[in-house]
Amino acid sequence: MTASRPIRADAARNRDAIIAAARAAFDRGEFDRRFDDFAPLAGVGTGTLYRHFPTREALAEAVYRGEVAALRDRARHALDTEPPAQALATFLTGYVHLLATEAGLAATLATLLRHRPEVQAEGALALEAAVAELVAAAVNDGGVPAELTAGAVLMALHGISASVGRPGWEADAEALVAVLSRSAD
């Protein structure tokens, strides 16, 4: 069994540039562009694109995994820097803001990954773990009612996600976040 070698710094930079270029294009809703077009967007050659990502779906998966990792990092950072109930509120508010500012990215990733439910399930589990940690900390600290569960928060997030684009969705989402993160009395 051969251990894989670490990626060279220049190769890592190229990979990151491709992901960043794809993320920006996906956020603009440009999921139907030719796959080869992502190479010049990232400032790399076509061979470099295919070496890192053999298909559009592989590239979309890398962008999606990056977004999930960023959400986990936001949850961890909030919990490390704020009281638990405030960390939960910060994370939820940030999630709503993310949906408001990057609706194109979410729609594009959903389109490109529709035949990869295992990838979406993996992301859902990672989000669930982050939310569960936030909710448990807030409940244990007494900052939110003990009846609040990670499942309830996830249901709210799914509902918020499904309502994006509906008139007044953002204000409604912010009101729901305020109720979910209301202090226990």
Side-chain angles (χ1 to χ4, degrees):
M1 181 176 206
T2 306
S4 62
R5 290 188 286 168
I7 189 168
R8 293 185 337 252
D10 62 328
R13 279 191 303 277
N14 287 341
R15 185 179 192 286
D16 291 346
I18 295 166
I19 292 171
R23 185 187 183 289
F26 293 165
D27 193 35
R28 293 188 301 267
E30 298 173 3
F31 61 89
D32 57 350
R33 70 170 43 245
R34 286 179 349 111
F35 184 56
D36 290 357
D37 291 345
F38 288 102
L41 287 175
V44 301
T46 305
T48 300
L49 171 67
Y50 280 95
R51 192 168 26 263
H52 289 285
F53 305 103
T55 65
R56 177 187 318 274
E57 290 75 21
L59 179 55
E61 185 177 325
V63 172
Y64 177 75
R65 289 179 193 277
E67 292 304 300
V68 169
L71 280 171
R72 278 193 332 257
D73 291 347
R74 286 184 190 130
R76 171 57 37 213
H77 178 74
L79 205 49
D80 288 346
T81 60
E82 300 176 39
Q86 183 58 45
L88 176 62
T90 296
F91 177 79
L92 296 175
T93 301
Y95 187 86
V96 171
H97 178 73
L98 184 71
L99 290 174
T101 59
E102 299 180 2
L105 179 62
T108 300
L109 288 175
T111 299
L112 291 173
L113 294 173
R114 72 179 171 271
H115 299 298
R116 301 292 308 271
E118 72 282 3
V119 174
Q120 293 179 350
E122 182 184 307
L125 287 174
L127 178 61
E128 182 178 348
V131 168
E133 185 176 6
L134 285 164
V135 171
V139 167
N140 289 338
D141 191 51
V144 297
E147 299 81 23
L148 184 64
T149 66
V153 173
L154 287 167
M155 287 177 74
L157 291 180
H158 288 295
I160 290 169
S161 297
S163 70
V164 171
R166 186 180 65 57
W169 80 268
E170 196 170 356
D172 290 342
E174 289 170 356
L176 181 56
V177 165
V179 169
L180 290 173
S181 55
R182 186 168 294 143
S183 299
D185 292 325

